[in-house]
Structure formats: C-alpha cells, structure tokens
C-alpha cells in the first residue's frame, strides 16, 4: 500500500509540475489578459479527465483461503448448516464447496482467462450488480423423480477482472440466496 501511495503522489507531483510549466514562453500581455486558447489552463478546463489523477488499479488476486470470513458471510444461507467440504484450485480459478451430500453449495472465483463453468445462461438484470458495472447470468436444471425434485442452480457474474459462479444443488430452489451471495461476493471482490 505504501508503494501505491508513493506512486500516486509521484504522479500527482508530475501533473502539477507539467501544468505549471506548460505556458513557458508566453509574453506578458497574454498572461495579463487570461489564458490563450492553446494554453494548458484552457486545455485543462476543456478536459477534466486530462487533469484527473487516479491511483493505479490494484491487480486482482484469487482468494487464498476458503475460510475467509468475508467469503463465508457472503455465502450466507446457502452454506448455513453445511460443513466445508473441499477446495479445488488451479492457476486461474479457486472453488470452495460446502456439503458432502445434497444439499450442497459452492463458489468459483476465476480469472477471465479461465474456461467458463456455465456460459449459456440467460442474462439477468440486478440493479446492485449493474451499479458495479458487471454482467449477470442465471440458470439451472430441474430433475423430477416421482414426488421428489432436484434443483441445480447457478448465478454467474462477469467482471473485467474476474468471473464468479455461485451454485447449489438442493431439493428446494434458492434463487434469492444465490443472487444475494453473488451481490455480496461481487461487492467484496470489486472493493
């Protein structure tokens, strides 16, 4: 963090120096009548983005631990009462799974380069996710055998720096729980 603060201050100082030295060579009459159309002050007022200095975006890293309290809290009702089962990971994704028997729940956090787990689901509109600038998809399957039904559902969030999949298998639908977990995890991962 100290390195990013130093970098930010260095960029800010460079910007101030460039703005202050941009009009070297103008004569005194131009300085007394205001900035010329080609001066840096005029260009800066025409383009606020040119003067805005932002800290460099932090690189995205996959979570190191499925026991992270933020991860467990975000999964909320989906993992309530289920014991942690397994962690599967590779260089481009990590998957945490809860429950050995149905019902089960899981979350996969992947880099954009990872092969998508689900890709043909319809897009859904979730205002909290739209506000974060990410896309969402939701879908699943339903298998009925006699008087019992098994639901496999997934909620997928695609962001520029990661892809998130929250899924569950249960005899009950968990649409709201999947959406809430995806919103909470996306908020955490984008902050």
């Amino acid at each position: 963090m100290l390195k990013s603060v130093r970098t930010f201050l260095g960029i800010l100082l460079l910007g101030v120096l460039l703005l202050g030295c941009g009009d070297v060579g103008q004569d005194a009459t131009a300085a007394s009548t205001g900035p010329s159309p080609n001066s840096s002050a005029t260009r800066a007022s025409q383009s606020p983005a040119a003067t805005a200095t932002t800290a460099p975006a932090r690189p995205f890293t996959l979570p190191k631990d499925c026991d992270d309290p933020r991860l467990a809290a975000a999964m909320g009702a989906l993992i309530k009462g289920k014991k942690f089962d397994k962690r599967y990971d590779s260089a481009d994704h990590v998957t945490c799974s809860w429950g050995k028997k149905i019902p089960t729940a899981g979350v996969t956090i992947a880099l954009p380069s990872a092969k998508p787990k689900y890709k043909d689901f319809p897009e859904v509109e979730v205002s909290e996710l739209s506000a974060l600038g990410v896309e969402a998809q939701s879908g699943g399957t339903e298998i009925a055998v006699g008087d019992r039904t098994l639901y496999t559902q997934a909620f997928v969030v695609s962001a520029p720096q990661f892809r998130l999949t929250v899924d569950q298998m249960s005899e009950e639908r968990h649409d709201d729980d999947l959406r809430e977990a995806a919103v909470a995890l996306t908020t955490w991962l984008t902050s």
Side-chain angles (χ1 to χ4, degrees):
M1 180 165 158
L2 184 58
K3 185 176 181 180
S4 63
V5 170
R6 285 182 185 164
T7 303
F8 174 76
L9 290 175
I11 292 170
L12 183 60
L13 179 60
L14 180 61
V16 168
L17 289 173
L18 288 175
L19 281 175
C21 297
D23 293 330
V24 173
Q26 282 191 340
D27 63 9
T29 58
S32 65
T33 60
S36 70
N38 293 328
S39 73
S40 62
T42 303
R43 287 190 307 269
S45 67
Q46 292 170 349
S47 175
T51 59
T53 306
T54 58
R58 78 176 161 93
F60 181 78
T61 55
L62 295 170
K64 292 180 175 55
D65 192 357
C66 290
D67 291 332
D68 188 307
R70 296 169 294 185
L71 181 66
M75 290 297 286
L78 289 173
I79 63 170
K80 187 174 183 180
K82 297 174 189 67
K83 294 190 183 224
F84 177 74
D85 184 31
K86 292 181 185 173
R87 173 188 164 117
Y88 308 90
D89 59 351
S90 69
D92 60 0
H93 77 274
V94 61
T95 298
C96 302
S97 175
W98 290 266
K100 291 188 178 198
K101 297 179 181 177
I102 295 172
T104 63
V107 60
T108 300
I109 303 167
L111 299 177
S113 60
K115 182 179 177 186
K117 202 170 173 183
Y118 303 99
K119 59 183 176 180
D120 297 330
F121 288 157
E123 287 189 25
V124 293
E125 191 68 33
V126 178
S127 59
E128 299 95 335
L129 295 174
S130 296
L132 295 171
V134 298
E135 297 175 355
Q137 297 171 279
S138 182
T141 60
E142 180 180 325
I143 301 171
V145 178
D147 61 344
R148 297 178 74 182
T149 303
L150 177 65
Y151 298 97
T152 302
Q153 297 174 268
F155 199 99
V156 180
V157 175
S158 298
Q161 64 273 42
F162 65 86
R163 188 175 46 256
L164 169 72
T165 304
V166 181
D167 53 26
Q168 68 89 39
M169 189 179 307
S170 175
E171 290 187 34
E172 299 173 6
R173 289 185 62 107
H174 290 277
D175 300 292
D176 292 339
D177 296 334
L178 283 167
R179 184 184 66 253
E180 288 174 15
V183 168
L185 286 164
T186 303
T187 303
W188 167 48
L189 294 170
T190 56
S191 62

